[in-house]
Amino acid sequence: MVQLEGENIEVEAETDSGWPTIITLESDGHPAGIAVDYLGMWHGRNVGMEEVDLLLIYENGEWRWRAIVAFSTEQDAIERGQYEADGYNGYKLVPWNTDDRFDQMEELLDEDITPIVYDQDYPTNAAHVMQKADSIHTLNRILGIGQLKTLTKRRKQLFTKIVPRSVRWENKENSLQELARDVVDNRRDTPQPADEPYQEGDDVQVNLGSADPNNPYDGETGKVINVLQEGFDGEAEHEVDAYSYKIEIAGEVPITWFRHRELVPT
């Protein structure tokens, strides 16, 4: 499913058993890399995924993401994706046993259609799904991979390793606080909101800081019980700023809706 040719290939991180999780290389004169999350049949059962590979490559003058997801079954691949999110054009099944399957996949990707490659002789085997986008948030919505916290961590590490700092600043991939910590190389003390929207059931802490130091909920921990997504018109600095949350604190639900930036994961 993935073949990258390049030089200076390095395994930047790996699991305890030696499986690579972050790989970097140089391809066509530009840095590139892969971040991998191995969920396996056991850990991935709740999300119907067994492995996710995220590629970050410099293509036609732009940094682009490409995701390959091994869903546990063809049915998981069909039901768990949101293939019309962000203006994409649905999905199409591509039998693995066709000689031109990779050509078919690339043609579908160019049409913003998500190919689902499956083995028609073994329907319970993993079905592989691939899609590409300029924004990782688009792939998160289409494939449902934003909830994978280990993958998100590795994806951030990959992004920081291969994309020049000047580009990261220009694209505002990180918040201003993150950029400041990037300069001083100190990420230890200041808790930060999650990069992806929280979901119902996530444990969070209210972190209002200097914005509202007298708020009685500042510093309290609780569980997300309701998620509100407002329209994102591009005026906010980050897309996650369009989200607000109700949380349960010590068995009670405050009337307050908390903004994404006011909560940090515990």
Side-chain angles (χ1 to χ4, degrees):
M1 298 295 293
V2 180
Q3 180 175 341
L4 280 179
E5 297 182 359
E7 301 175 338
N8 300 324
I9 301 173
E10 294 187 17
V11 176
E12 303 283 354
E14 58 187 23
T15 65
D16 293 339
S17 55
W19 291 88
T21 56
I22 299 177
I23 305 167
T24 60
L25 67 154
E26 292 182 13
S27 179
D28 294 329
H30 297 282
I34 306 173
V36 186
D37 190 4
Y38 307 98
L39 291 90
M41 295 181 63
W42 178 256
H43 293 290
R45 66 189 186 281
N46 291 331
V47 290
M49 304 175 192
E50 298 181 10
E51 180 177 330
V52 182
D53 294 8
L54 284 179
L55 285 71
L56 182 57
I57 57 178
Y58 192 76
E59 185 178 55
N60 298 325
E62 300 287 344
W63 291 96
R64 301 210 75 187
W65 291 97
R66 183 176 291 219
I68 300 92
V69 181
F71 283 95
S72 299
T73 65
E74 174 195 343
Q75 198 65 24
D76 280 316
I78 293 173
E79 294 179 352
R80 294 179 181 269
Q82 301 293 329
Y83 299 114
E84 295 183 358
D86 290 20
Y88 278 67
N89 299 317
Y91 70 88
K92 183 176 181 180
L93 295 174
V94 178
W96 179 262
N97 292 341
T98 55
D99 294 336
D100 64 341
R101 58 185 177 275
F102 293 115
D103 292 334
Q104 288 188 51
M105 292 172 65
E106 291 301 326
E107 291 175 2
L108 293 171
L109 292 175
D110 290 340
E111 298 173 3
D112 289 338
I113 299 173
T114 302
I116 299 177
V117 184
Y118 72 104
D119 191 331
Q120 58 269 44
D121 296 327
Y122 299 94
T124 59
N125 280 17
H128 295 81
V129 176
M130 182 183 293
Q131 192 50 267
K132 59 183 180 180
D134 295 331
S135 170
I136 187 63
H137 301 297
T138 294
L139 295 179
N140 287 345
R141 281 187 287 271
I142 293 174
L143 300 171
I145 56 178
Q147 60 186 310
L148 304 177
K149 293 180 173 57
T150 298
L151 179 68
T152 298
K153 178 180 178 181
R154 292 171 182 170
R155 180 259 295 174
K156 288 181 60 179
Q157 292 173 336
L158 174 65
F159 183 87
T160 303
K161 283 181 179 296
I162 70 172
V163 177
R165 179 181 295 172
S166 59
V167 176
R168 286 186 274 133
W169 284 38
E170 179 184 12
N171 291 344
K172 297 181 180 179
E173 179 75 11
N174 300 316
S175 70
L176 293 178
Q177 289 175 320
E178 287 176 325
L179 293 175
R181 292 201 309 279
D182 193 23
V183 172
V184 299
D185 195 26
N186 181 2
R187 305 179 61 89
R188 295 174 296 175
D189 300 328
T190 306
Q192 294 297 312
D195 290 340
E196 309 296 336
Y198 299 110
Q199 299 183 12
E200 292 183 10
D202 283 352
D203 294 317
V204 293
Q205 181 179 38
V206 180
N207 185 35
L208 303 176
S210 59
D212 193 357
N214 297 319
N215 191 300
Y217 299 112
D218 189 31
E220 295 287 341
T221 58
K223 188 179 296 291
V224 175
I225 62 170
N226 202 348
V227 180
L228 174 65
Q229 181 183 8
E230 302 172 5
F232 179 68
D233 55 12
E235 294 181 1
E237 182 178 359
H238 299 290
E239 189 167 356
V240 291
D241 290 338
Y243 286 83
S244 298
Y245 310 90
K246 281 276 192 179
I247 63 174
E248 180 179 329
I249 300 175
E252 298 183 357
V253 181
I255 193 172
T256 306
W257 283 87
F258 294 96
R259 306 294 297 180
H260 186 89
R261 60 178 176 271
E262 296 173 335
L263 302 175
V264 297
T266 59

